[in-house]
Amino acid sequence: MSSQTERLERLITEERGGCCEADIEERLDSLRSYQSETPTNPDADLTALKTLGNDTRYHIVRLLTAADRELCVCEINPIVNVSDSAISHALSDLYDAGLVTRRKDGTWRYYETTDRAEALLTALDKTGEADR
């Protein structure tokens, strides 16, 4: 038995009152089956979560979600209390993470949240309610 499975053996022993190699292998097989349900390439998920982990980006996504329509950068600037370059950088990061769409109309640039951003915020709201 390896050091990696010693604790597992103790757990199974406590649960069942005894443990053998077959019990350990059965549990490991069960645990390995869970891996098929996890993404093999979580980069997009991790990027989206990291991107929302910044105050400015989070505030912009909340603002766009509340507006429920496209907003021009000139509409976001007066509401988000950071520099123009910080807003521009935040919007670029949000776009790269797939959390907002952007559209250029002449000299104006418009942003709107994606379904993914809205789903993430909905999940945060729902889980936050459980803690309140």
Side-chain angles (χ1 to χ4, degrees), residues 39-53:
T40 56
N41 186 1
D43 293 345
D45 291 347
L46 296 174
T47 297
L49 293 171
K50 287 177 191 175
T51 302
L52 280 179

Side-chain angles (χ1 to χ4, degrees), residues 7-8 26 37 74 83 89 112 114 127 129:
R7 291 181 68 193
L8 180 58
E26 179 184 326
E37 296 182 32
C74 67
S83 68
H89 187 72
E112 188 171 24
T114 61
T127 57
E129 290 171 6

Side-chain angles (χ1 to χ4, degrees), residues 91-123:
L91 287 165
S92 179
D93 288 345
L94 289 165
Y95 176 78
D96 290 345
L99 298 174
V100 299
T101 61
R102 67 179 170 206
R103 177 178 67 84
K104 190 170 183 172
D105 186 6
T107 59
W108 307 107
R109 196 169 281 236
Y110 295 90
Y111 290 86
E112 188 171 24
T113 54
T114 61
D115 291 343
R116 181 170 209 185
E118 291 176 20
L120 286 169
L121 293 179
T122 298

